[in-house]
Amino acid sequence: MQSIISIKGIEKTYAGGFRALKGVDLDIRRGEIFALLGPNGAGKTTLISIICGLVNATAGSISVDGHDIVRNYRQARATIGLVPQELHTDAFERVRDTVAFSRGLFGHAPDAALVERILRDLTLWDKRDAQIKELSGGMKRRVMIAKALAHEPRILFLDEPTAGVDVELRRDMWGLVRALRDTGVTIILTTHYIEEAEEMADRVGVINNGELVLVEDTSALMKKLGTKELTVLLAEPLAALPPELADWRLELNADGRELRYVFDRHADRTGIPSLLARLRDLGIAFTDLNTRQSSLEDIFVSLVSDRRPA
Amino acid sequence: MNIQRINARGIWSIYRFEMHRFKRTLWTGLAVPVITTSLYFVVFGTAIGSRMTEINGIDYGSFIVPGLMMLSLFNESIFNASFGIHMPRFTGTIYELLSAPLSAFETVLGFVGAAATKATIVALVILLTANLFVDVRVEHPFLMFAYLVLVAVTFCLFGFIIGIWAKGFEQLQIIPLLIVTPLTFLGGAFYSIDMLPEPWRTITLFNPVVYLINGFRWTFFGTADVAVGISLAATAAFLLACLVAIWWIFRTGYRLKA
């Protein structure tokens, strides 16, 4: 496995004594989409800020593409694009100028064609000569993404990319992230939206209280912890579960109007067809069926609560 | 491009960004020095100058020109440089500067270079404006310009420090208004310190601005209240102190990084 970012024993204690990170070790693979998942204040932004040079770590080391972020900060930073969580933009600069500025800041020669392509990809081309202050919040976020892409980074950090973003921008952003990944860009995003991690990421790292709780392939995580449940809405309430249904370990809910069946969705035999056949044999009529899959959210909540000191 | 040694494009980008900011306010930026210089000449030149025709054999109107230029140069340098670095801190766009492959030296070079350029231009505009009122002779034009640039760079470094130290826009004004302007007025911008009675003359010698103004005045008239060598040494000492402070700021991340 080839890692593009290697984080070793990173700790951060802020001046006030708050320990934001408590010894984080993490390897990011080249070309993957990695989601850093955690509640507010878990340490996601602090970790990203340390990698990008915005915050000094208290202890530990990080290398980016083999370059130590302190000793060889030029090489390390040159490969990184950062889109912070907050909307930090100039007010009076024009869209095209601010993107060109970012490119120059990272030491690249001007490239009008590239800037045009980035602006078109982000549907900012019509606004290229507008002052940033004239733009809406969503447009400003697009500008920040354009700035981060202006120096053709090999690694892109998106800190809460879709927080407070409309549906259209969210969809565009996901499309863009996938397109970038296809060109070999490694993407690290932080989020507290589980769906985002589930939908986008190859791997998920869960961070809570400054500790990395787990790192796992998204699909493996879902497989490992993912259960599914079937709810059968009955036509007539049952007083008790008939003994003939004991094999399925059902729950009788909602005053006997609902049967709940939890099963492993990856098992070869889910037991659903036989359950439905048995219900018919017993003359139990039902009006509706409902299945639900446990989301990363359920997994996350159970992980975080498991770790909470008793 | 090779950015291993020096990120020249990065420096140039900051410099251009800052110059572009000045260009947006070009007319007010130039009208202010022209109008204030004219006002000084109306007040000092006409009202006082008629009673005080000569200082050390120099026509009073000409005598105050270096002081006027220095006064504006101090204020412009501090204001441009402090605002330049304070603004990204205020808006949060500093994240981009901190995450860029730029050394502290390169960042400072971009900001201070642009601020010093503008301050120098303003000082030269004042010189041109003064020429409308009086004949200004400049004995050492090349040294005059070099000294102008040296002082501009020094005060821009000082302004850069203020811009990082300040917690808000009102704090940007404190040092220029409460320290630099009074020291300039008391530092012989409009008179020769030889005109002062003791002990004021001796006390005035502890005012660092005296050395800056007199060094600059020497490049105009070949004479000054203090030896030009001492003036240069004082300017260099201040420059060095600012450089050390900035080196410390970037080393510790003071008010830049958490």
Side-chain angles (χ1 to χ4, degrees):
Chain A
M1 186 194 76
Q2 202 185 14
S3 68
I4 192 163
I5 300 178
S6 174
I7 300 168
K8 289 196 173 64
I10 282 293
E11 304 213 3
K12 176 65 190 178
T13 307
Y14 282 104
F18 173 66
R19 282 185 76 197
L21 294 173
K22 304 165 184 166
V24 171
D25 296 290
L26 176 64
D27 280 283
I28 305 290
R29 295 173 190 161
R30 195 176 294 274
E32 74 174 334
I33 299 180
F34 187 91
L36 206 51
L37 188 64
N40 289 322
K44 306 185 293 285
T45 300
T46 300
L47 184 59
I48 284 193
S49 299
I50 290 173
I51 302 171
C52 295
L54 271 51
V55 171
N56 292 330
T58 311
S61 67
I62 298 173
S63 71
V64 174
D65 214 2
H67 304 293
D68 183 90
I69 59 157
V70 179
R71 256 195 330 276
N72 302 321
Y73 66 92
R74 278 187 203 275
Q75 291 89 330
R77 291 182 197 170
T79 55
I80 297 177
L82 167 65
V83 184
Q85 186 176 346
E86 307 285 335
L87 282 179
H88 297 311
T89 57
D90 292 304
F92 303 105
E93 289 295 302
R94 297 188 185 283
V95 169
R96 187 163 27 186
D97 295 340
T98 197
V99 176
F101 166 77
S102 300
R103 185 172 168 81
L105 202 59
F106 278 74
H108 288 273
D111 186 340
L114 177 90
V115 170
E116 176 173 347
R117 204 182 73 220
I118 291 172
L119 291 181
R120 283 191 190 281
D121 284 351
L122 286 158
T123 56
L124 280 169
W125 185 243
D126 292 342
K127 302 276 182 195
R128 61 191 178 275
D129 290 319
Q131 288 190 322
I132 300 171
K133 68 180 164 97
E134 299 163 9
L135 302 180
S136 68
M139 282 290 176
K140 282 181 183 155
R141 193 166 289 277
R142 288 171 194 259
V143 170
M144 291 183 65
I145 299 168
K147 283 166 76 70
L149 296 177
H151 66 277
E152 302 160 271
R154 302 310 298 153
I155 303 166
L156 182 67
F157 283 94
L158 297 164
D159 196 359
E160 302 277 352
T162 53
V165 152
D166 60 31
V167 179
E168 191 187 2
L169 178 51
R170 183 180 299 207
R171 201 187 50 224
D172 284 4
M173 191 115 63
W174 289 6
L176 180 84
V177 165
R178 290 204 180 89
L180 283 169
R181 198 259 302 268
D182 291 343
T183 65
V185 176
T186 306
I187 292 144
I188 297 107
L189 56 95
T190 74
T191 183
H192 55 262
Y193 294 129
I194 316 286
E195 315 81 59
E196 199 157 83
E198 196 171 343
E199 164 106 20
M200 300 288 295
D202 299 314
R203 286 198 306 154
V204 175
V206 177
I207 191 166
N208 189 48
N209 284 328
E211 286 173 291
L212 204 56
V213 183
L214 102 170
V215 177
E216 194 110 41
D217 284 354
T218 312
S219 56
L221 189 67
M222 295 306 297
K223 209 174 274 179
K224 195 150 115 194
L225 295 160
T227 55
K228 226 169 168 177
E229 63 177 51
L230 170 73
T231 307
V232 183
L233 300 177
L234 304 176
E236 297 291 330
L238 287 176
L241 277 174
E244 292 87 347
L245 296 175
D247 287 354
W248 287 270
R249 273 181 263 162
L250 302 177
E251 268 177 48
L252 190 60
N253 293 329
D255 295 329
R257 290 186 177 276
E258 278 181 26
L259 285 173
R260 183 164 166 268
Y261 172 46
V262 178
F263 61 98
D264 179 354
R265 67 196 173 112
H266 300 286
D268 294 333
R269 302 170 70 89
T270 58
I272 292 174
S274 53
L275 172 65
L276 295 182
R278 183 65 59 90
L279 287 174
R280 195 189 55 214
D281 293 347
L282 292 169
I284 299 172
F286 48 88
T287 56
D288 200 2
L289 294 173
N290 201 350
T291 64
R292 198 177 83 87
Q293 183 170 322
S294 67
S295 65
L296 260 173
E297 183 137 31
D298 304 325
I299 299 166
F300 179 67
V301 167
S302 72
L303 275 171
V304 169
S305 56
D306 285 354
R307 297 269 169 154
R308 206 161 278 159
Chain B
M1 198 194 86
N2 184 9
I3 57 160
Q4 312 271 338
R5 289 212 191 96
I6 187 155
N7 183 353
R9 286 214 172 87
I11 301 169
W12 180 237
S13 294
I14 295 176
Y15 183 89
R16 276 198 27 191
F17 178 89
E18 284 292 289
M19 293 309 285
H20 193 236
R21 186 164 69 78
F22 301 143
K23 229 191 275 174
R24 279 198 297 266
T25 53
L26 184 68
W27 293 112
T28 44
L30 291 181
V32 168
V34 170
I35 291 170
T36 39
T37 309
S38 306
L39 283 174
Y40 275 113
F41 271 103
V42 169
V43 175
F44 285 92
T46 316
I48 300 171
S50 58
R51 290 156 192 264
M52 229 167 56
T53 48
E54 276 192 356
I55 294 180
N56 301 338
I58 301 154
D59 168 62
Y60 182 70
S62 309
F63 179 84
I64 64 170
V65 172
L68 275 178
M69 287 172 73
M70 280 286 127
L71 180 63
S72 281
L73 192 71
F74 295 160
N75 286 326
E76 281 285 328
S77 298
I78 292 175
F79 179 74
N80 294 332
S82 65
F83 196 81
I85 188 64
H86 193 73
M87 200 63 186
R89 285 183 60 217
F90 175 75
T91 60
T93 52
I94 190 138
Y95 84 86
E96 199 177 23
L97 292 169
L98 293 176
S99 68
L102 278 166
S103 69
F105 175 74
E106 290 161 350
T107 307
V108 172
L109 201 59
F111 277 104
V112 165
T117 303
K118 192 202 170 191
T120 305
I121 290 171
V122 167
L124 292 174
V125 167
I126 288 172
L127 182 60
L128 290 177
T129 310
N131 255 307
L132 301 176
F133 294 89
V134 289
D135 263 340
V136 190
R137 83 189 147 99
V138 183
E139 205 151 289
H140 308 286
F142 178 74
L143 285 178
M144 186 277 283
F145 185 74
Y147 201 84
L148 199 61
V149 172
L150 179 70
V151 174
V153 167
T154 305
F155 274 75
C156 285
L157 288 170
F158 186 50
F160 191 88
I161 296 168
I162 293 173
I164 285 177
W165 163 81
K167 282 185 177 158
F169 284 100
E170 57 290 343
Q171 280 197 349
L172 290 182
Q173 305 282 351
I174 287 179
I175 304 252
L177 284 180
L178 293 186
I179 298 177
V180 177
T181 304
L183 285 182
T184 310
F185 273 88
L186 297 174
F190 303 110
Y191 53 84
S192 163
I193 60 167
D194 288 336
M195 295 159 68
L196 296 174
E198 289 295 351
W200 297 111
R201 191 186 172 278
T202 309
I203 291 171
T204 302
L205 289 175
F206 287 96
N207 178 354
V209 176
V210 167
Y211 302 92
L212 301 176
I213 290 178
N214 275 288
F216 193 51
R217 189 170 284 143
W218 178 87
T219 66
F220 276 72
F221 310 119
T223 64
D225 294 345
V226 290
V228 66
I230 298 175
S231 287
L232 265 180
T235 312
F238 189 35
L239 178 75
L240 200 68
C242 291
L243 284 174
V244 168
I246 286 176
W247 172 81
W248 177 82
I249 283 170
F250 276 94
R251 207 188 132 80
T252 59
Y254 171 77
R255 300 231 170 133
L256 282 176
K257 299 186 184 190

